[in-house]
Amino acid sequence: MRKLALNDEILLKVENPARYIGNEVNSVMKDKNVDVRFCMAFPDSYQIGMSHLGIQILYDMFNQREDTWCERVYSPWPDLDKIMREQQIPLFALESQDPVKDFDFLGITIQYEMCYTNILQLLDLSQIPLRSEDRTLDHPFVMGGGPCTYNPEPLAPFFDMFYIGEGETVFNQLLDAYKEWKNSGKSRREFLEMAAEIPGIYVPSFYETTYHEDGTIASFKPVNPHAKEKIEKQVVMDLTNTYYPKKPIVPFIKATQDRVTLEIQRGCIRGCRFCQAGMLYRPTRERDVDFLKDTAKSMLESSGHEEISLSSLSSSDYSQLPELIDYLIEECSARKVNISLPSLRIDAFSLDVMSKVQDIKKSSLTFAPEAGSQRLRDVINKGLTEEVILEGASKAFEGGWSRVKLYFMLGLPTETEEDMRGIAHLAEAIAKKYYEIPKDQRHGKCQIVVSTSFFVPKPFTPFQWAGMFRKEDYLEKAKIVKEEIRAQLNQKSIKYNYHEADVTVLEGILARGDRRLADVIEAVYKKGAIFDAWSEYFRYDLWMEAFEEIGLDPEFYTLRERPLDEIFPWDFISIGVSRKFLEKEWEKAHKEEITPNCKMKCSGCGAGIYKGGICIESKN
């Protein structure tokens, strides 16, 4: 009989106790006497983590191995965090309820910079030393994966290793190596040396950084013969004949994305210069439509979910979308299942599809122009003209929609006040399109929600060299947009909201930071910072205190525009896309020149080295 790690008294005290008891539908139970016990962790709340497709894929993949049991853990909410510290209860995995510290591996998915203190929370509550150098053979190997590992350096001292790339490729090799090591009597360091030989595995303790007097990096090099000069991103080229969960875990409580997720492709052909995912996941690769049909049916049958969502960076670019949509409409209407279609470009086909699958009265349409002027949209290579945006809005209003969400960024490279005011002018132009429709054909009042986030330069994008702004500057930019919206004729139809400026500054520091930031992260965690991604818990003042105590200037990481020859903390990683291509795109941005998408013309980004996906198709 499985015994819960938390007694009834504790479970009755905490919010959403179902987060901590495990045993959900389709979760995997095994004999504890397997060769490898792997705990997959997500450094945020259960509801957020349960919405993450990557963990579901790896969980399914690992548990297909008879010799491995993969379990899960999420960050305990502050109420339980407090109790666990007071009562010295070690963090436990959901399936077995066993302490995480007794596992062979703790694998942490790192999706967002603002979760970095939660990584230390997971280690601390697990009673695992925060720094890899302090761990012994009694502790699990701590490894990180996910998009933030494309600059792992701010977290380097806390991890034994990082997996760079897509998880379906060399994980089996790593688990086999561990089994071989486990019975060999060799040291912890010797296993890390075995791991460092595996493609895509980065062991940070085997590298050394030196700095110039001005704080920039002078050198970054391996100091162990097993460590590679370059870590190559691992990519799954055949997305059809690979792992995908047919029986997703169904949570007892409502998750943020409470639905079946069907990943139709990876990568994006568009080449927006601000978008990290668009560069990291090149080349664009599609899943076969028959595989998707079978998988969708299996997932719906095994989960009982009432909604299915197509996952992709740009769903409209999936070549077999019409066929897949027709199948899903037929399958889902029979099951009374809703279809969610994010990442669609608003054109006649998309609007036709959405009118079939959405309740127009309840739903809103989303446009992401990203910038308020055509000039700035060309700078960021958005590939969207005002004419296309207005035509899409017009067709949507004629089709019965009356609510539109518009997403923009403030603080983009070369931005002027005119570009900022252009956000209000574009929202006004869209509102006008609604009021051009005869009154008797309108569907209630027009609602346009304008949201602005503040641009954060990310590694491996053409904007990785860009400077940022101070918190006060960002707020001033938002103020300009707000005042301009108030000056519009249809201002009552336009609602405006913007992202927190202090969170943006910190995200920018962590995104492009180096190994020295680890001391700041540890210091701020010890001051009580966790759940920084949640507004109600974020403490900017604690972060600034920690920077001061450690003696690092946060503005060194934000305000500087980097010279083209600067060594970046992430330069040792190869993602296929070449630095030369990114430099060329940075220069083209300043000339306001656009680059055609991958289907129109190959731009020689470097992703052709993977010999597949769009890189091969576009040549046929």
Side-chain angles (χ1 to χ4, degrees):
M1 180 70 182
R2 194 178 72 120
K3 186 174 184 295
L4 293 179
L6 303 175
N7 62 38
D8 289 354
E9 188 185 346
I10 293 172
L11 288 169
L12 287 168
K13 275 183 189 171
V14 298
E15 192 182 325
N16 289 323
R19 296 191 262 213
Y20 310 113
I21 60 174
N23 216 19
E24 307 101 320
V25 173
N26 297 332
S27 59
V28 175
M29 299 302 290
K30 288 191 180 186
D31 188 320
K32 293 180 186 184
N33 298 317
V34 290
D35 296 321
V36 185
R37 292 192 69 183
F38 198 111
C39 189
M40 194 71 72
F42 195 94
D44 206 329
S45 73
Y46 174 89
Q47 289 94 319
I48 302 285
M50 277 300 290
S51 305
H52 183 245
L53 177 62
I55 284 185
Q56 294 258 14
I57 291 173
L58 292 178
Y59 182 86
D60 178 68
M61 170 183 159
F62 287 8
N63 281 320
Q64 283 185 36
R65 290 179 60 125
E66 287 185 11
D67 60 1
T68 303
W69 185 11
C70 180
E71 304 181 45
R72 296 160 297 130
V73 69
Y74 305 93
S75 283
W77 199 242
D79 55 357
L80 180 60
D81 176 289
K82 185 170 181 284
I83 293 169
M84 290 177 80
R85 289 176 198 277
E86 287 169 356
Q87 300 190 21
Q88 286 289 295
I89 300 167
L91 189 63
F92 52 91
L94 289 184
E95 281 76 0
S96 64
Q97 301 277 301
D98 288 346
V100 170
K101 64 182 177 182
D102 296 341
F103 281 66
D104 299 300
F105 287 94
L106 172 60
I108 303 175
T109 297
I110 316 169
Q111 289 293 309
Y112 181 34
E113 292 83 357
M114 301 312 293
C115 292
Y116 286 3
T117 51
N118 276 53
I119 291 169
L120 299 197
Q121 178 211 26
L122 289 170
L123 293 171
D124 203 8
L125 288 177
S126 299
Q127 300 169 8
I128 297 169
L130 296 184
R131 300 210 171 216
S132 60
E133 64 191 18
D134 299 323
R135 293 176 200 140
T136 68
L137 287 169
D138 295 330
H139 300 114
F141 286 98
V142 179
M143 72 182 302
C148 289
T149 59
Y150 287 93
N151 176 22
E153 286 305 279
L155 294 168
F158 310 122
F159 282 83
D160 297 304
M161 64 188 110
F162 291 95
Y163 183 117
I164 312 294
E166 295 170 353
E168 300 97 325
T169 49
V170 297
F171 250 125
N172 284 322
Q173 212 176 320
L174 181 72
L175 298 180
D176 291 342
Y178 177 77
K179 278 174 67 180
E180 184 191 323
W181 169 83
K182 194 176 181 181
N183 302 313
S184 68
K186 290 181 177 176
S187 69
R188 192 177 175 91
R189 181 185 178 87
E190 285 171 300
F191 173 66
L192 291 175
E193 289 177 339
M194 290 170 74
E197 299 274 3
I198 297 169
I201 302 293
Y202 166 54
V203 179
S205 60
F206 293 168
Y207 295 77
E208 191 174 84
T209 313
T210 61
Y211 298 91
H212 293 297
E213 276 187 29
D214 66 358
T216 57
I217 293 173
S219 69
F220 181 90
K221 56 180 187 293
V223 289
N224 183 296
H226 297 273
K228 300 176 281 288
E229 290 273 347
K230 278 271 181 191
I231 306 290
E232 306 281 340
K233 170 184 87 170
Q234 298 304 293
V235 187
V236 185
M237 291 313 297
D238 180 358
L239 275 184
T240 298
N241 298 300
T242 186
Y243 299 94
Y244 202 84
K246 297 284 177 82
K247 293 184 173 181
I249 305 167
V250 185
F252 289 129
I253 57 174
K254 191 171 171 59
T256 310
Q257 308 285 331
D258 202 18
R259 58 183 75 117
V260 160
T261 302
L262 189 67
E263 184 188 41
I264 59 176
Q265 63 183 11
R266 277 186 199 164
C268 181
I269 63 169
R270 297 287 158 185
C272 297
R273 292 177 180 131
F274 59 83
C275 180
Q276 188 185 40
M279 298 295 160
L280 292 183
Y281 301 122
R282 289 186 174 208
T284 303
R285 295 144 286 150
E286 295 190 350
R287 293 190 194 269
D288 177 72
V289 71
D290 291 326
F291 167 84
L292 291 173
K293 289 176 185 176
D294 292 344
T295 303
K297 191 175 181 183
S298 299
M299 291 174 89
L300 288 169
E301 283 172 353
S302 67
S303 68
H305 275 302
E306 294 172 352
E307 188 171 334
I308 184 166
S309 174
L310 302 189
S311 169
S312 159
L313 291 172
S314 179
S315 301
S316 302
D317 296 321
Y318 178 63
S319 63
Q320 294 165 296
L321 191 63
E323 184 182 340
L324 178 61
I325 292 293
D326 287 345
Y327 171 81
L328 287 177
I329 286 172
E330 192 177 329
E331 189 69 29
C332 292
S333 59
R335 297 173 184 272
K336 295 194 166 39
V337 168
N338 296 323
I339 304 171
S340 169
L341 299 166
S343 312
L344 282 182
R345 293 173 82 79
I346 306 298
D347 53 23
F349 166 72
S350 302
L351 290 167
D352 180 51
V353 168
M354 284 188 278
S355 66
K356 289 176 185 170
V357 303
Q358 289 185 356
D359 181 341
I360 292 172
K361 287 177 188 169
K362 291 179 187 170
S363 68
S364 58
L365 279 183
T366 301
F367 292 80
E370 310 292 2
S373 70
Q374 194 56 50
R375 184 201 72 79
L376 196 51
R377 280 193 291 278
D378 290 346
V379 167
I380 65 176
N381 204 44
K382 182 61 188 174
L384 197 60
T385 64
E386 185 154 336
E387 186 185 0
V388 169
I389 295 166
L390 293 178
E391 191 182 335
S394 197
K395 284 195 172 108
F397 293 145
E398 285 165 15
W401 276 275
S402 59
R403 287 189 283 179
V404 173
K405 289 180 184 171
L406 299 171
Y407 288 107
F408 296 92
M409 279 185 284
L410 288 169
L412 286 160
T414 81
E415 179 187 66
T416 65
E417 192 170 314
E418 195 178 330
D419 298 320
M420 297 174 220
R421 296 188 188 282
I423 292 172
H425 302 157
L426 184 57
E428 172 70 9
I430 290 171
K432 276 182 183 169
K433 286 286 176 190
Y434 184 77
Y435 293 110
E436 283 172 10
I437 297 172
K439 205 168 186 178
D440 59 335
Q441 290 169 35
R442 293 180 206 157
H443 292 74
K445 284 183 177 178
C446 171
Q447 283 182 300
I448 295 170
V449 180
V450 173
S451 295
T452 59
S453 60
F454 299 114
F455 166 67
V456 176
K458 293 287 171 95
F460 295 109
T461 66
F463 288 168
Q464 63 183 357
W465 290 277
M468 290 179 68
F469 298 90
R470 293 186 176 90
K471 173 184 166 182
E472 301 74 33
D473 301 327
Y474 287 121
L475 294 173
E476 185 56 37
K477 289 171 186 292
K479 187 181 170 194
I480 288 167
V481 176
K482 190 176 184 179
E483 286 174 354
E484 195 66 17
I485 285 173
R486 282 184 177 162
Q488 302 310 303
L489 186 66
N490 291 299
Q491 54 148 314
K492 286 185 179 172
S493 299
I494 307 169
K495 185 186 171 198
Y496 177 51
N497 49 57
Y498 55 90
H499 191 58
E500 297 102 325
D502 47 10
V503 173
T504 300
V505 171
L506 191 59
E507 186 186 335
I509 293 167
L510 297 173
R512 293 187 295 175
D514 52 54
R515 205 173 274 208
R516 292 170 297 185
L517 283 177
D519 293 341
V520 178
I521 295 167
E522 185 172 350
V524 78
Y525 168 71
K526 286 178 174 171
K527 288 174 179 290
I530 51 169
F531 287 101
D532 293 306
W534 298 72
S535 306
E536 62 265 44
Y537 292 108
F538 179 58
R539 292 279 307 275
Y540 186 69
D541 58 322
L542 292 184
W543 278 92
M544 291 306 112
E545 272 176 33
F547 271 104
E548 200 169 328
E549 284 171 21
I550 300 303
L552 274 181
D553 179 8
E555 293 189 348
F556 169 78
Y557 296 99
T558 51
L559 300 184
R560 289 187 309 121
E561 182 173 304
R562 278 63 164 165
L564 284 177
D565 60 354
E566 181 169 328
I567 296 173
F568 288 138
W570 54 89
D571 278 348
F572 69 95
I573 298 171
S574 169
I575 67 157
V577 175
S578 70
R579 183 161 175 144
K580 191 178 172 186
F581 170 76
L582 297 175
E583 284 179 12
K584 200 165 80 178
E585 286 293 292
W586 176 233
E587 286 160 5
K588 284 176 83 173
H590 285 89
K591 292 177 188 168
E592 299 168 21
E593 290 177 15
I594 58 171
T595 298
N597 73 56
C598 301
K599 278 187 179 169
M600 291 167 71
K601 185 188 172 191
C602 175
S603 301
C605 73
I609 61 164
Y610 299 112
K611 297 182 170 57
I614 188 74
C615 301
I616 299 300
E617 292 154 26
S618 58
K619 288 177 183 174
N620 295 338

